[in-house]
Amino acid sequence: MTDAPDGRPRPTDKWRHRGIRALVVARDGSVRGWRWWARNWDRLVAALQDEAPVGSGAAPTPSGPLIEQRDAPRLIAVPARGYVYSFYIRATFAWSSPASMRAEVLSWYVQYFQPNAIQRLTRLAADAARDLPPHRAGDLEVALQQALAEDPRWHYQRGDIVITCRPDAAVRLDERIMPALQPHVDRLVKLEYQFEEQIRKARYAEELSRQWATILNDDADDQDVADARDQMLTAQREAARWITELLRRHGDHPPDPPTTPPVPPQSRPSRSLDGE
């Protein structure tokens, strides 16, 4: 095609030049973009794989799996029997991943999955607390720990990423019930101390009787001494039986020890050491 009579390019030639110029600009932009991708491809792949880029300035990778421990933002309340009082649970979760992962990436997944873990722990605690009276916080904690021991690791997945959670829980009483329990607990503490004191006295008497029996055994030829020794051995055996029975009763009924412990059996001597 030729130019117009006035020397200016024809309209079709003008649009053709503009199209060629646009293609050249696009080609140059593509080349520059390709060069940028070529320079940063390895860094981009490492970021997508949650791995730190390898280089002279890269920090050393810590040994072992990365673990983040995080507490629940507030105490978990579950109702006790009767739905008047509640148990309060302090929950802690230890999060980790079998895959290599940066700390900030793991924190993001923890933030994403922790509400699910809190909800699951709440259901477990509510099922265990439904039939317990409000003062049995210890029983609830034992039941909850047993349930967690049966399934100690909880797994959560998003895409190809798997996150592992190890929950732990401690149970607290409702503060409104503590004033009602305080006198009862104080009484149990006092009775427990009295029981332990009686056990110490009985064991001391048993040890003393054993020592006297050993001393009297050295003079077994004297009939009076022999009779006293036999009497002391009999009393020692009866005291041992009494202590065993007392410990057995205490083991069967630990919450309510007797107000006054039973008196150990006493043996009346047939004759005294001085012959009276």
Side-chain angles (χ1 to χ4, degrees):
M1 294 183 181
T2 60
D3 293 340
D6 55 0
R8 291 179 301 176
R10 294 183 178 183
T12 45
D13 294 339
K14 183 175 61 176
W15 286 109
R16 183 181 295 110
H17 289 314
R18 289 182 178 177
I20 292 173
R21 205 163 41 244
L23 290 175
V24 171
V25 172
R27 181 199 63 187
D28 294 341
S30 299
V31 171
R32 287 194 299 270
W34 173 256
R35 289 174 180 172
W36 184 88
W37 279 107
R39 289 194 306 268
N40 296 278
W41 178 256
D42 293 336
R43 187 182 301 273
L44 179 62
V45 170
L48 292 176
Q49 291 178 347
D50 296 326
E51 295 178 354
V54 179
S56 58
T61 304
S63 59
L66 185 64
I67 299 177
E68 178 172 337
Q69 184 165 323
R70 188 174 296 189
D71 296 334
R74 62 186 60 87
L75 296 177
I76 301 173
V78 292
R81 187 174 64 190
Y83 290 82
V84 175
Y85 297 100
S86 299
F87 296 107
Y88 292 91
I89 301 166
R90 180 173 55 82
T92 303
F93 304 91
W95 297 89
S96 62
S97 175
S100 178
M101 183 176 295
R102 297 199 309 271
E104 58 270 21
V105 178
L106 179 60
S107 296
W108 186 91
Y109 282 108
V110 170
Q111 188 73 21
Y112 183 82
F113 287 121
Q114 180 144 318
N116 296 355
I118 293 177
Q119 184 179 11
R120 181 174 178 179
L121 183 62
T122 303
R123 287 198 302 266
L124 285 176
D127 292 340
R130 188 173 294 114
D131 296 327
L132 288 177
H135 66 280
R136 302 273 293 276
D139 293 343
L140 175 59
E141 183 167 328
V142 170
L144 200 54
Q145 293 293 344
Q146 290 177 349
L148 295 179
E150 294 174 358
D151 187 12
R153 293 180 181 269
W154 297 351
H155 301 282
Y156 298 91
Q157 184 171 358
R158 179 179 172 86
D160 295 334
I161 302 298
V162 177
I163 303 296
T164 301
C165 170
R166 291 182 63 93
D168 189 26
V171 183
R172 294 175 51 185
L173 279 173
D174 193 327
E175 294 183 356
R176 297 173 298 170
I177 202 174
M178 290 183 181
L181 289 178
Q182 188 69 39
H184 179 68
V185 173
D186 292 342
R187 176 175 174 271
L188 288 180
V189 171
K190 182 178 179 180
L191 292 176
E192 185 74 18
Y193 174 78
Q194 292 176 351
F195 175 80
E196 292 178 356
E197 184 180 13
Q198 293 294 331
I199 290 295
R200 286 194 299 268
K201 290 181 178 179
R203 286 175 176 167
Y204 176 76
E206 181 185 7
E207 180 63 25
L208 187 62
S209 176
R210 184 182 297 109
Q211 293 176 2
W212 274 108
T214 302
I215 294 173
L216 294 176
N217 192 41
D218 297 336
D219 299 325
D221 295 339
D222 190 336
Q223 185 60 38
D224 292 338
V225 174
D227 292 342
R229 182 203 60 188
D230 295 340
Q231 174 190 344
M232 188 165 293
L233 289 176
T234 301
Q236 177 184 338
R237 287 192 293 268
E238 292 177 354
R241 286 196 299 268
W242 174 73
I243 293 174
T244 302
E245 179 66 18
L246 191 63
L247 292 174
R248 185 187 64 80
R249 292 179 181 177
H250 181 67
D252 293 341
H253 307 285
D256 297 312
T259 305
T260 57
V263 179
Q266 303 290 333
S267 298
R268 187 173 57 187
S270 57
R271 71 177 79 181
S272 62
L273 294 179
D274 55 3
E276 296 180 358

